[in-house]
Amino acid sequence: MQTTGLMVVLATTMVLVIGIACDSPNPSARPESNVSSAAPVLSPAPTPTGAAVSVPSPTRTLAGTSVPALSPTTYSAATAVPGSSSTTLSIDGATWILELIDGQAPIAGTYATLVVDGPQFHGFDGCNFIGGRHESGKPVINPDGDILPPPVSGTAVGCMSPPGILDQAGRYVEAMQQGAKARVVDDQLHIVDRSGEVVLVFVRQPPLAGRPMDLVGTSWRLVDDDATYGAGTTTLLFLDSRAATGTTACRDYTVGYTASNRRMRMPYKGMSGSTEACSREAVKREHRFVEDFGWANEYSIHQADGSERLTVRTSKSKTLTFEPLPQPAGAIFDARWRLIRFLETRSDGSGMTLPKTTDLVPNGDVTAAFAEGSIEGSLGCHSYAYRAVGVDGATLIGADGTIFNDSAVLRTENLCDDRGSMSPQQLHYLDLLVTVERYHVFADRLVVVTRAGDALVLRLSE
C-alpha cells in the first residue's frame, strides 16, 4: 500500500481520526528557512536574505471521497470490555495516548493521540495533522458514549518509516471503523466495537497547567544537553500575548502564537537572516527546532529542582524544556548595538494578528548606545539623541528592563556633506523609538518593545 493510498482510505473509513507517528527520512535537499504554519515541509528553494514567510503545507479534504474499503487484516484477539469498573470520567478536553491496538502495543517509536472537544476533535500521526468538526454542534462522542463521526480534513505529508507503520495504520483505521462506543475505564479510554470488544485503548496524558499571563515578557534558554538542535544557545522571548522571537544555532526565528489556559497554538513561524555563514548541518538543526516547537500543544511554567522551568509539549509527542535566560542588571549599558530588523504585527484575512519581520536594508545603518538618561546613535551620516528632560539625573533607561519616555525629547543632526535625507527605515526607527517602554537582553540580542507590542531587534555591535 502506498502512502497516498492510505490517506485516501482514511477519508471514507475513519469514524474518528487518530494518527500514528513516524519518523520521515532526512531529505537530501538543503532545508528551506521558512516553516509551515500547519505541517512544516522541507524545500530545496533558497530563502532570500531577510525573508520571514509562513508557507502553508499542502492540505487535502478527506471526507466524501469514494475509494475501495480496506481489506481485512489479521491481529491478536481484542480485550473484552470490563463491565462494573466503567466510570463516567470526562473524555472531552483530555489528550489521550494510544496504548493498545487490537490488544498489542504500537510499534516502538510510534504513538497516536486523540483530543475530543465537544463537536470537534483532532489527532496527529507524525506525518499529518487531522481533525473534524460538527457544524451542527452535536458532540463527537455523546454522553452515552456513542461515536458520531464529523467530516474529516487534514494535511497530506507522506511517511514511510519505521517498517510496518502503514500496516499498523491500516489496522488502526479498520479498528476505528468498527468502533461504536467510547468508555472511560480506570482513567483509560476504550473504543469498543459493535460486538462489545475493546479494539483501541488509550491512556490519559496528565495535563499541563499553563496560564497565558505567565508567558508575556519572559525569556528562556532551551535545555538541549545533547545538542539535538545544534551547538550554541537556542533562546525564546515572549514579546507579548501574540508574538515570540528567539535565536537558534544559525538564525533568528519568529512565531505568532495564541495561548489559553494549558493550550498553545502557533499559526505562524518564520526565519530571518541569511544562511550564508551557516553550515548545512546548522540549518537542518535549526529547522528541526522550529518545526518541533511549531507543533506546540500544551505548556506550563513550574518549579523543578529549585528553579523555574517552561515545559512545552507538542502534538508530535515531543517535550521541550526551557530554563530562565538571565538578563543581567545593566546589560544594556556599556555597549553599542546595531539595528538588524523590525518586528511588527499585521492582520491576515481572518482578522488574526500575526508578527511581521523586516530586515534592515543594506546601507541602512542604525546604531544605538544606552545610558540611564539617554539613547544616542547614528543613522548613516546623521546622528540622533533621545534624552530624558527635567531635573538632573532624570531616568530614561531602567536597569530592570523598563524605559521611561514620558518626558524625553528626540533631536537629530544632519552631518552629511551633501545634506542627504534619512531613509524611510531610519525615519521609521525614530518613530518607533519614541514609543518604546521596555527592553530585553538575551544572548547578543537586544529587543526593544513599544507600547503597541511592536519591537526593534538589535545585535551587539562588534
Side-chain angles (χ1 to χ4, degrees), residues 143-163:
D144 295 327
D146 298 321
I147 299 174
L148 310 171
V152 177
S153 63
T155 57
V157 181
C159 180
M160 298 300 294
S161 64

Side-chain angles (χ1 to χ4, degrees), residues 93-97 187 203-209 262-263 298-300 313:
T95 298
W96 299 95
I97 307 297
D187 212 27
V203 62
R204 185 191 299 265
Q205 187 176 65
L208 297 179
R262 177 184 164 197
R263 298 289 185 186
E298 292 184 278
Y299 72 99
S300 72
R313 184 185 291 156

Side-chain angles (χ1 to χ4, degrees), residues 333-355:
F333 305 127
D334 302 323
R336 180 166 291 273
W337 303 88
R338 187 173 301 277
L339 181 70
I340 57 176
R341 72 180 52 89
F342 300 90
L343 202 168
E344 300 175 90
T345 57
R346 61 179 173 82
S347 296
D348 65 5
S350 68
M352 178 177 290
T353 301
L354 300 173

